[in-house]
Amino acid sequence: MNLNPIQIIITALFATLFLSCNTSKIPIAKDKISNEVDIYVAGYEYNDSKFESSIEEIADEVGMKHVAKLWKNGKNIDLEEKEHYSDANSVFVHNNDIYVGGSIMSGEEYVAAIWKNGKIQKLTDGKKTAHIQSIIVDDKTIYILGEQFGDAHYIVKVWKNGVSSNITDGKNDTDGNSFYVDKGNVYICGNENNGSKSVAKVWKNGTPKSLTNGLNNAYALSVFVENGNVYVAGYEIENDKYIAKLWKNGKVQNLSDGTNYSVASSVFVKKGNVYVVGNESTNQKRVLKLWINGKGTNITDGTNNADANAVVVHNNNIYIAGYEENDGDRYVAKLWINGVAKNLTDGTKNAYAESVFLAEKKNK
């Protein structure tokens, strides 16, 4: 993908930073950061504070709804009414237009949707559940990755300027988690069930390639392409151990040793340096983790559960979007800048930051 030099992107599943490969230290935060870039974060927040994070799975049963959110420089921008179920998984800014990808409940099913400058555009008719995972705008072409339920399983789909194509046939359980566009080629990573196990896969222009042999459950969560090299981050469950993994052109590298539960959720590559973000459990708490060329750094201290969904760096400043549990047992949507957390929500309701996009300000 040919990026505008004044824009740096990261979807729910991209990561980038400009650091020496010889260090994993986090530089001190600078006050000038907020003057350099506009920071867009997409995610969602529940509309009620009745339940703590640990029993959130029953939220739908008691009428709690999650609502799509967009934050610009920390300020909330409502995308939908609180009465509607909705979520936002990706944000992209192009030529001052703000695109957000997600879904909204219509009747009894979720409808795949994008919001352009706050105005919703529905991509499916609501007859079968559908979701948007990621959105990329390249020049005049809008690429959207999503899923729609078929007769028995989800079908991975790509919309190109509003025209959809099926990537999978719906015969197996399949997830499309992330995608990347490079020179017009569309790379998608995800996983497909082979009958007994989930196989990590990459699809290039619809043609699949397996990353794992199908003996263990494995999941590919993020893909990035640089100089023809295809990098994928995810994890594999080996002997009940969750191991964070990175694949480069199909060759695997373990980021964790299996001692602790660990997941790699996003990858970005710059000048051959590879950056991955995710989490690792320590003392039964999930620690937000950053790996730089395979060397891990803890971003949170492990006091409360935390997860990272996206990371980007601009002018040596590191931005990570995710969420962390507070002392009230609620998840707080957060943006970490050089290791310093900034709350996007007040912590009274569960909230999650899924994607971050940085755009340099034209008038600094």
Side-chain angles (χ1 to χ4, degrees):
M1 178 172 51
N2 298 320
L3 299 182
N4 186 313
I6 68 166
Q7 293 178 324
I8 301 173
I9 71 162
I10 175 76
T11 65
L13 305 164
F14 289 164
T16 181
L17 51 95
F18 308 144
L19 288 180
S20 166
C21 61
N22 297 319
T23 179
S24 61
K25 294 182 179 179
I26 305 300
I28 298 173
K30 301 175 183 178
D31 292 337
K32 69 177 184 179
I33 291 172
S34 61
N35 295 322
E36 295 179 345
V37 292
D38 284 320
I39 309 168
Y40 299 87
V41 179
Y44 57 95
E45 182 180 23
Y46 274 89
N47 66 346
D48 200 304
S49 59
K50 291 178 182 177
F51 293 100
E52 61 270 20
S53 57
S54 59
I55 55 173
E56 186 179 305
E57 60 269 16
I58 70 169
D60 289 351
E61 298 176 14
V62 296
M64 286 176 61
K65 300 178 177 67
H66 44 78
V67 181
K69 294 286 184 178
L70 174 67
W71 297 272
K72 179 181 179 181
N73 299 328
K75 295 182 179 180
N76 173 62
I77 301 173
D78 286 326
L79 295 174
E80 282 299 326
E81 298 293 335
K82 294 182 179 180
E83 290 74 20
H84 298 146
Y85 285 90
S86 58
D87 56 61
N89 295 317
S90 179
V91 58
F92 197 105
V93 181
H94 181 71
N95 290 338
N96 296 319
D97 290 320
I98 304 169
Y99 299 84
V100 177
S103 61
I104 184 170
M105 181 73 81
S106 178
E108 296 182 354
E109 306 292 346
Y110 277 103
V111 173
I114 65 170
W115 291 263
K116 181 179 178 181
N117 300 325
K119 185 177 181 180
I120 193 170
Q121 300 175 21
K122 296 180 180 179
L123 301 179
T124 56
D125 58 13
K127 294 179 180 179
K128 294 185 177 181
T129 288
H131 303 272
I132 297 304
Q133 301 286 19
S134 188
I135 183 168
I136 295 172
V137 184
D138 186 14
D139 195 14
K140 296 181 180 180
T141 305
I142 302 173
Y143 297 89
I144 301 169
L145 172 68
E147 299 174 338
Q148 185 172 23
F149 198 77
D151 294 330
H153 306 289
Y154 278 97
I155 298 171
V156 178
K157 303 172 75 77
V158 170
W159 287 262
K160 184 177 179 180
N161 288 338
V163 179
S164 67
S165 299
N166 292 346
I167 304 302
T168 58
D169 58 15
K171 294 180 180 179
N172 301 312
D173 283 325
T174 311
D175 289 309
N177 296 315
S178 168
F179 79 144
Y180 192 89
V181 179
D182 179 63
K183 299 177 181 178
N185 295 307
V186 179
Y187 298 81
I188 300 169
C189 77
N191 44 275
E192 185 170 12
N193 193 285
N194 65 359
S196 61
K197 299 293 183 180
S198 180
V199 180
K201 289 190 173 186
V202 172
W203 291 262
K204 179 182 178 180
N205 298 327
T207 301
K209 179 181 179 180
S210 296
L211 299 174
T212 55
N213 58 17
L215 298 178
N216 303 308
N217 284 314
Y219 305 86
L221 302 181
S222 177
V223 60
F224 195 94
V225 181
E226 184 192 61
N227 295 329
N229 295 309
V230 181
Y231 301 82
V232 178
Y235 65 100
E236 187 170 5
I237 305 172
E238 302 177 10
N239 298 319
D240 295 325
K241 296 179 179 179
Y242 286 67
I243 301 175
K245 304 239 174 180
L246 173 71
W247 292 269
K248 178 182 178 182
N249 298 326
K251 185 177 180 180
V252 69
Q253 174 189 2
N254 289 350
L255 299 176
S256 61
D257 60 11
T259 302
N260 301 315
Y261 170 107
S262 188
V263 170
S265 58
S266 188
V267 60
F268 194 98
V269 184
K270 184 68 175 181
K271 296 181 179 179
N273 291 316
V274 184
Y275 309 96
V276 179
V277 67
N279 68 74
E280 185 171 16
S281 292
T282 303
N283 298 322
Q284 298 184 331
K285 294 291 184 180
R286 295 189 308 279
V287 177
L288 193 152
K289 197 88 175 183
L290 176 68
W291 290 273
I292 304 172
N293 291 328
K295 184 176 181 180
T297 297
N298 292 342
I299 303 301
T300 57
D301 61 11
T303 301
N304 296 312
N305 287 312
D307 288 283
N309 290 319
V311 59
V312 63
V313 168
H314 179 57
N315 290 342
N316 293 323
N317 296 310
I318 307 170
Y319 302 77
I320 299 173
Y323 54 94
E324 186 173 17
E325 199 172 26
N326 62 15
D327 293 337
D329 201 12
R330 303 291 189 277
Y331 283 120
V332 182
K334 293 194 175 189
L335 178 73
W336 285 264
I337 303 178
N338 296 331
V340 178
K342 293 182 178 294
N343 293 349
L344 299 174
T345 55
D346 62 12
T348 58
K349 296 169 285 190
N350 292 321
Y352 308 85
E354 298 288 327
S355 172
V356 58
F357 183 104
L358 303 183
E360 281 193 7
K361 296 179 179 179
K362 294 182 178 180
N363 298 316
K364 293 187 292 184

